[in-house]
Amino acid sequence: MKFIHLLIIFIVVLFSSPAISQSSQLSKVISHAEQAAKANDGKEIAAHAQEAKASALEAKQAGNFSDDAKYHLEAGIINLEHAIEKGNSGSAEAARQQAGDAVKHFKEISP
């Protein structure tokens, strides 16, 4: 009887682990993107956006997303690329807007 309980627990953990990992990765993406959207200067925005982009690309590679989630993930990554470009060129307000748009897309994704 104890063996069956342990087996059930193992199976539940095994199959829920990818969902937990995906959720954790998305939380990391959102956190970095939010930091970019709240940063003061262009270089800081670009740095946080770069971290968010790297995390988003990891999530994309590791995750199994619905078509809708893939759309939002791709759109968010594109917004981050624009935030990096704008931030590095000194357009802090435009970079902040792009980072904010990325946050909106990432928050639309539910694991």
Side-chain angles (χ1 to χ4, degrees):
M1 188 69 148
K2 215 175 202 181
F3 175 75
I4 292 173
H5 288 291
L6 289 174
L7 183 61
I8 291 171
I9 291 171
F10 176 74
I11 290 171
V12 168
V13 168
L14 180 68
F15 287 107
S16 66
S17 182
I20 292 169
S21 175
Q22 185 175 347
S23 176
S24 173
Q25 190 69 27
L26 286 172
S27 293
K28 187 176 172 183
V29 171
I30 291 168
S31 175
H32 284 299
E34 286 175 334
Q35 289 174 5
K38 294 175 184 174
N40 292 322
D41 66 42
K43 297 294 182 190
E44 188 179 357
I45 294 167
H48 286 296
Q50 186 63 50
E51 289 290 325
K53 180 183 170 188
S55 295
L57 291 172
E58 285 178 34
K60 179 181 172 183
Q61 187 174 27
N64 183 19
F65 295 98
S66 68
D67 288 341
D68 187 53
K70 286 177 187 175
Y71 165 78
H72 286 292
L73 188 59
E74 284 295 327
I77 290 169
I78 290 168
N79 286 128
L80 291 173
E81 289 171 348
H82 290 222
I84 294 164
E85 179 183 314
K86 300 286 185 187
N88 284 332
S89 70
S91 301
E93 192 54 42
R96 210 176 284 109
Q97 178 65 45
Q98 289 292 322
D101 290 346
V103 170
K104 290 175 189 173
H105 280 293
F106 296 138
K107 286 187 174 183
E108 288 293 322
I109 302 169
S110 56

